[in-house]
Amino acid sequence: MKAFASAPAKMILFGEHSVVYGEPAIAGAVNKRAFVQIKRSFNDKSYLKSYDLNFEVELDTQNKSYILKKGKPGIIRYILEALSRVHDHSPIMMILSSQIPIGSGLGSSAAVTVATLAALYRYHNIRFTKKSLAHDAHMVEQAVQGVASPLDTLVSTYGGIVYLSRNKKFYPFKTKFNAPFVVGYTTKHGNTAKMVKGVRILKNRNPKLIDPVISAMGNLTNTAKYAISKGDYARIGELMNINHGFLDVLGVNTVELSRMVYTARECGAIGSKITGAGGGGSVIALCPGKTHEVSQGIAKQDNILPVKFTKKGVSSRVRW
Ligand code: PMV
């Protein structure tokens, strides 16, 4: 028997950083996924292989450790944590493949965690719901990272675009919003905890200047919620540009991110901004009719990934 599961990446459209201070945020699942396959091992050892991420390890599922056979398994702590919570430690062969760049702020760890847990539940015939899965995946992320917002694992489990309100309630958008985006990412990874800490220090030193910016970011997200529900691309683009300016004020911009944001606009994007924590990682550009031009422009110096929002969350099955 083989168990299969996949889960999508996410992008934050509005509200990164201000969400840490209780302001609303908007994020959605995108059409790039992580795939996990689990079957019985051909011998008495457990293995994890990824052809596209180019690594191979022998797993010690009991002790949350591994022996490296090939490559650099950046994402493995999430998989070991999931295995330690669900697996009965019988020998398995796990295959991971991912269309999501690792460490780029697109929620690769959440997607891998959600897909790993779903595949394990299928493999062991354990019942689960989206609610229980999102919760369990959040617990895994928290155990590995220390702190983690539930946003990534929720979006990765349920799919679609969600609005997270000031009182931390989730509302899925009902309208279809499938405008084309280009993600630009640098190989320089952002460190979310470090960036969040940097913003806090800046805010504590300059409360009279930074507090109004953070509340303006919240108001901007609420304005964007209306624009998204109307499918008003021009307005959404304008609000993305303003949001990028605010993120720059918070000190999370870099030379590379700036370069990608402005290149995108020069190449015809109607809006572009940092997505996620910044300090490295990714930008998003809204570019209806200009995907090709924007992709070519950014790809001259950085990496690109064309994406769209998707309604498809986690998916899993078994094959006998
Ligand atoms: O690094 P990412 O893409 O997971 O984004 C982090 C978003 C922050 O608002 C900066 C932090 C958080 O936990 O919400």
Side-chain angles (χ1 to χ4, degrees):
M1 185 264 267
K2 277 188 192 175
F4 299 88
S6 71
K10 69 102 201 349
M11 62 186 176
I12 300 178
L13 202 44
F14 294 100
E16 50 276 270
H17 286 291
S18 44
V19 71
V20 172
Y21 302 96
E23 297 296 338
I26 298 172
V30 297
N31 59 347
K32 299 290 166 203
R33 304 178 71 84
F35 301 84
V36 172
Q37 193 191 111
I38 302 177
K39 60 183 176 183
R40 249 178 67 180
S41 178
F42 53 86
N43 60 21
D44 60 358
K45 294 191 171 121
S46 288
Y47 300 92
L48 166 64
K49 282 186 192 183
S50 178
Y51 299 104
D52 48 1
L53 302 176
N54 200 25
F55 73 81
E56 188 179 332
V57 299
E58 188 185 311
L59 293 166
D60 179 349
T61 59
Q62 220 131 18
N63 295 310
K64 288 199 226 173
S65 66
Y66 63 92
I67 302 165
L68 188 62
K69 300 276 182 197
K70 192 177 120 184
K72 219 171 126 198
I75 204 97
I76 199 163
R77 286 187 302 149
Y78 298 89
I79 295 172
L80 288 170
E81 185 62 38
L83 283 163
S84 82
R85 286 163 185 249
V86 181
H87 190 44
D88 62 3
H89 309 297
S90 59
I92 49 168
M93 165 65 81
M94 277 185 79
I95 313 272
L96 167 70
S97 72
S98 177
Q99 304 165 328
I100 313 162
I102 306 285
S104 58
L106 293 180
S108 56
S109 63
V112 168
T113 304
V114 168
T116 302
L117 284 172
L120 278 168
Y121 291 143
R122 289 284 184 184
Y123 187 74
H124 292 296
N125 200 17
I126 297 169
R127 276 173 188 273
F128 66 97
T129 59
K130 283 193 173 168
K131 191 172 173 201
S132 72
L133 178 61
H135 172 266
D136 296 349
H138 180 222
M139 291 300 111
V140 168
E141 283 226 308
Q142 214 155 39
V144 174
Q145 294 170 199
V147 279
S149 102
L151 192 63
D152 287 18
T153 37
L154 262 162
V155 167
S156 198
T157 304
Y158 285 92
I161 310 179
V162 298
Y163 170 81
L164 177 68
S165 73
R166 285 196 167 105
N167 56 6
K168 296 277 170 283
K169 283 214 167 73
F170 284 85
Y171 301 94
F173 278 87
K174 292 200 176 67
T175 39
K176 211 169 156 194
F177 176 55
N178 58 0
F181 285 86
V182 170
V183 170
Y185 62 100
T186 69
T187 44
K188 202 171 138 194
H189 295 171
N191 178 331
T192 301
K194 196 175 135 201
M195 299 322 289
V196 168
K197 194 173 159 204
V199 173
R200 187 170 298 279
I201 292 169
L202 187 75
K203 180 173 158 4
N204 288 345
R205 249 202 322 259
N206 308 279
K208 285 206 173 122
L209 298 173
I210 301 299
D211 290 354
V213 171
I214 287 173
S215 70
M217 289 167 92
N219 294 339
L220 183 146
T221 302
N222 283 334
T223 310
K225 180 183 169 210
Y226 182 73
I228 293 169
S229 66
K230 292 265 167 281
D232 186 345
Y233 291 0
R235 184 86 177 115
I236 295 164
E238 181 179 40
L239 294 168
M240 286 171 67
N241 293 343
I242 298 173
N243 198 350
H244 181 72
F246 285 147
L247 288 165
D248 199 357
V249 169
L250 297 186
V252 301
N253 202 2
T254 66
V255 172
E256 294 84 3
L257 295 171
S258 239
R259 176 170 73 208
M260 293 192 285
V261 160
Y262 288 101
T263 302
R265 289 184 206 170
E266 266 170 27
C267 296
I270 55 174
S272 58
K273 65 180 274 289
I274 292 169
T275 186
S282 302
V283 305
I284 49 173
L286 175 57
C287 33
K290 294 280 181 188
T291 312
H292 181 69
E293 290 84 344
V294 172
S295 298
Q296 279 206 324
I298 296 178
K300 280 192 187 136
Q301 292 194 69
D302 300 288
N303 311 295
I304 54 112
L305 195 68
V307 298
K308 282 187 174 185
F309 283 118
T310 175
K311 280 199 179 330
K312 192 175 173 194
V314 66
S315 127
S316 62
R317 66 192 165 90
V318 292
R319 201 173 72 203
W320 293 91

